[in-house]
Amino acid sequence: MRNLNSDMKNHEIFISYSRKDLQQVISIRDEIKEKIGAESWIDIKGIESGDQFINKIVGAIDKAKVVLFMVSEASMKSEYAQREVMYAKNSGKKVVPVILDNSQLQGWFLFLFGVVDYIDINNPRQKDKFFENMRGWLGLADNDEGPVDLFDVGLHYYLKHDYQVALDWLMRAAKYEYADAQYYIGLCYCFGHGVDIDYKKAKEWLMKAASQNHADAEENIGLLYKHGLGVKRDSREALRWYRKAWGHGSLSAQYDIGKCYYFGRGVDIDYQEAVRWFAMAAENGLAKAMASLGYCYFEGEGVPVDYKKALYWFEKSGGSTASYHIGYCYYHGLGVKKNYKKGVSWFEKAIKTNHAASEYYLGLCYYYGYGVKRNLSAAIVHFRKAVKQGYEEAREILKAIDKDAGEVPPEKFTIL
């Protein structure tokens, strides 16, 4: 029979718990050992005296890769559990709350952990996920796992924003020259996910994936050249990579190519060609391409002005800029019957993501009572928000309001 005093030299897991939960904790420890082969350290003899006990606890936490805090009514009242968890968190350990008795984190523990994913060990699905996650946290893999399996685990943790664990799995898959893994490692270096930002290393990994015709990697290399990240800024080279990405199936590369023609990056400005590429991407469901295509119809760039088509694409695309333009059309009666109330509704959607022009138009609506009950105070609030976001027209109307004691002719500021 196993010695219940877990003073193990090679443990990977430290378990913090209340002795009132001892039998359930022992069962969990044994199941961890059985399913993934990992040893756990738990204090079973009970609290020893003074420095000897503290040194054992500190040493055991230091050696562990993961600390499991067994959440129960009893453990959340335990001073020692609190000290163990605090030391583990301060030491940079992965600390995972495991619910034993349907308790919820509360008090000091809720303050420390905040809103985090926890494991309800009584829920069969969560319990299965717990063992799957534990393998990732400990960096374990079956010897017979190939690059697809390794990548899938890495992607799982990447999407959960557990980037250091993700990167370990992605690196394992990349040893097989697996293009998707190389691509995501490139993203990690681009965005500082689990590593320091390093655009040169990012390009190295993206180039490895691109050598296997990985379209997303090719597009991102183009973006590095566009912004001059880790390479010399080169719009022509960016466009060349966008075209390669498009040739290998990237839909968003169509949009990138359209922007090159729209802004004259690496080619002469050609609005008609920009519209052609935006339309291809929009038809394939890319929201930002829909918004750009709507803007071209709105402004008459590359196509005749057509507010109805503009509205169609703005409504399909979503987003704050599209919401603003829809509101603008209702405010001015462009492509639709003038309807201030609908205009207000769309402007309100747009300001949820800090859209300055929509703040300004809401200010006008409240100032003149267009679609809402006239409210000078609300108008001033929206004008000030617009000014704060850099919309200078709002500054001018605030000056006029102050000068004219709140009375400004409607025709002075409504048409821009």
Side-chain angles (χ1 to χ4, degrees), residues 359 362-367 372-385:
E359 293 282 8
L362 277 174
L364 292 177
C365 290
Y366 277 104
Y367 185 80
V372 290
K373 185 177 179 179
R374 190 166 188 244
N375 186 325
L376 181 60
S377 297
I380 291 173
V381 168
H382 286 293
F383 288 141
R384 286 176 176 170
K385 287 182 179 180

Side-chain angles (χ1 to χ4, degrees), residues 298 305-308 311 324-344 347 361 370 414-415:
F298 186 87
V305 171
D306 189 326
Y307 294 119
K308 288 186 177 181
L311 281 167
Y324 160 71
H325 281 94
I326 297 170
Y328 186 97
C329 287
Y330 277 110
Y331 186 101
H332 293 291
L334 302 175
V336 290
K337 185 177 180 180
K338 184 180 290 189
N339 188 321
Y340 291 126
K341 190 173 182 179
K342 286 187 176 181
V344 167
F347 293 141
Y361 267 89
Y370 293 161
T414 56
I415 304 298

Side-chain angles (χ1 to χ4, degrees), residues 136-403:
W137 296 328
L138 298 177
L140 303 174
D142 294 333
N143 292 330
D144 60 350
E145 285 182 310
V148 176
D149 294 325
L150 294 168
F151 170 74
D152 286 344
V153 177
L155 181 61
H156 168 77
Y157 287 108
Y158 186 93
L159 296 176
K160 289 180 69 68
H161 309 296
D162 195 343
Y163 296 120
Q164 289 185 332
V165 174
L167 194 57
D168 177 67
W169 288 91
L170 294 172
M171 285 292 189
R172 293 167 186 242
K175 290 179 180 179
Y176 294 86
E177 303 298 325
Y178 194 66
D180 282 339
Q182 295 168 334
Y183 166 67
Y184 273 94
I185 295 170
L187 293 188
C188 287
Y189 279 108
C190 273
F191 299 109
H193 291 163
V195 290
D196 292 333
I197 290 175
D198 188 327
Y199 294 118
K200 290 186 177 180
K201 285 187 177 179
K203 181 173 180 284
E204 289 175 9
W205 283 102
L206 292 173
M207 287 292 289
K208 290 179 180 181
S211 70
Q212 302 182 61
N213 298 330
H214 194 287
D216 290 335
E218 291 168 334
E219 182 186 8
N220 277 273
I221 293 170
L223 293 173
L224 292 178
Y225 278 105
K226 172 190 172 183
H227 297 289
L229 301 174
V231 293
K232 185 178 179 180
R233 189 189 297 267
D234 189 331
S235 296
R236 289 184 181 274
E237 187 67 4
L239 179 57
R240 186 177 76 85
W241 280 102
Y242 296 151
R243 290 188 182 279
K244 284 172 69 72
W246 169 63
H248 293 132
S250 172
L251 300 180
S252 55
Q254 296 174 327
Y255 173 71
D256 295 323
I257 296 169
K259 287 199 298 182
C260 287
Y261 281 104
Y262 187 90
F263 293 106
R265 295 172 182 160
V267 290
D268 293 334
I269 290 176
D270 187 333
Y271 292 133
Q272 288 185 336
E273 190 67 5
V275 166
R276 187 173 76 86
W277 285 99
F278 289 153
M280 281 194 288
E283 293 291 351
N284 283 314
L286 192 66
K288 55 188 177 181
M290 296 175 188
S292 294
L293 185 57
Y295 188 78
C296 289
Y297 279 111
F298 186 87
E299 295 291 342
E301 293 175 335
V303 288
V305 171
D306 189 326
Y307 294 119
K308 288 186 177 181
K309 285 186 178 179
L311 281 167
Y312 171 80
W313 287 110
F314 285 141
E315 288 176 353
K316 283 181 69 71
S317 72
S320 60
T321 300
S323 295
Y324 160 71
H325 281 94
I326 297 170
Y328 186 97
C329 287
Y330 277 110
Y331 186 101
H332 293 291
L334 302 175
V336 290
K337 185 177 180 180
K338 184 180 290 189
N339 188 321
Y340 291 126
K341 190 173 182 179
K342 286 187 176 181
V344 167
S345 176
W346 284 102
F347 293 141
E348 287 177 340
K349 289 181 182 180
I351 65 170
K352 291 179 180 178
T353 50
N354 298 324
H355 195 274
S358 294
E359 293 282 8
Y360 173 75
Y361 267 89
L362 277 174
L364 292 177
C365 290
Y366 277 104
Y367 185 80
Y368 295 116
Y370 293 161
V372 290
K373 185 177 179 179
R374 190 166 188 244
N375 186 325
L376 181 60
S377 297
I380 291 173
V381 168
H382 286 293
F383 288 141
R384 286 176 176 170
K385 287 182 179 180
V387 170
K388 191 174 182 180
Q389 295 173 44
Y391 203 81
E392 289 304 311
E393 288 87 346
R395 189 186 305 278
E396 294 304 314
I397 198 169
L398 283 172
K399 289 179 181 178
I401 289 172
D402 183 59
K403 179 180 178 182

